[in-house]
């Protein structure tokens, strides 16, 4: 089992940037692929981006390509989500997730893997 702790959420104006962090721990945490999801008010949880265990391969939802970037610091076993040019529609709770392989993020299920507690991002207009 992988334990995940997100941080970095907050209130930002439209057009601004935020960087979310997700610290992973647990016996298999360093070999897991990790990803970010979000759930906005009244919306279903949606996939955003994922990265493989070594940090060398990434996979993005088309809607955030070019605006969001996922990265990993292997020494800290921490994954980041850099979010730029934020919009009010980006307001959501952002969740970190861990799965065995990067390819697992092509699985449309949103109840798969280990989850963090979430961090709130609010973008004001």
């Amino acid at each position: 089992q992988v334990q995940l702790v997100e941080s970095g959420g907050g209130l930002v104006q439209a057009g601004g940037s935020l960087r979310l962090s997700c610290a992973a721990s647990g016996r298999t945490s360093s070999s897991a692929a990790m990803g970010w999801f979000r759930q906005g008010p009244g919306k279903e949880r949606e996939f955003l981006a994922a990265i493989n265990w070594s940090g060398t391969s990434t996979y993005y939802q088309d809607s955030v390509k070019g605006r969001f970037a996922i990265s990993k610091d292997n020494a800290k076993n921490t994954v980041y989500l850099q979010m730029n040019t934020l919009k009010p529609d980006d307001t959501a709770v952002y969740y970190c997730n861990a799965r065995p392989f990067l390819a697992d993020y092509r699985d449309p299920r949103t109840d798969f893997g280990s989850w963090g507690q979430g961090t709130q991002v609010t973008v004001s207009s």
Side-chain angles (χ1 to χ4, degrees):
Q1 188 75 358
V2 178
Q3 291 78 47
L4 303 169
V5 179
E6 302 101 331
S7 60
L11 175 64
V12 63
Q13 288 190 332
S17 298
L18 275 178
R19 190 179 78 156
L20 306 182
S21 300
C22 174
S25 62
R27 188 171 59 87
T28 59
S29 61
S30 62
S31 63
M34 294 174 67
W36 288 95
F37 290 71
R38 70 183 177 189
Q39 188 164 15
K43 299 180 181 179
E44 295 187 352
R45 190 170 295 190
E46 65 171 337
F47 167 74
L48 299 174
I51 192 165
N52 69 338
W53 70 273
S54 62
T56 55
S57 293
T58 57
Y59 171 51
Y60 290 93
Q61 172 67 258
D62 287 345
S63 63
V64 301
K65 279 182 182 177
R67 228 167 33 96
F68 291 5
I70 191 169
S71 61
K72 186 180 183 186
D73 184 330
N74 287 318
K76 296 181 179 179
N77 209 15
T78 297
V79 170
Y80 304 96
L81 185 69
Q82 178 67 43
M83 305 186 293
N84 300 322
T85 321
L86 284 163
K87 309 171 185 178
D89 280 351
D90 294 317
T91 295
V93 178
Y94 284 69
Y95 296 92
C96 184
N97 174 266
R99 298 182 179 186
F101 304 104
L102 182 61
D104 292 334
Y105 284 95
R106 297 186 183 276
D107 186 321
R109 290 179 294 163
T110 56
D111 60 349
F112 181 8
S114 301
W115 294 92
Q117 82 287 354
T119 185
Q120 176 70 45
V121 172
T122 303
V123 184
S124 63
S125 57

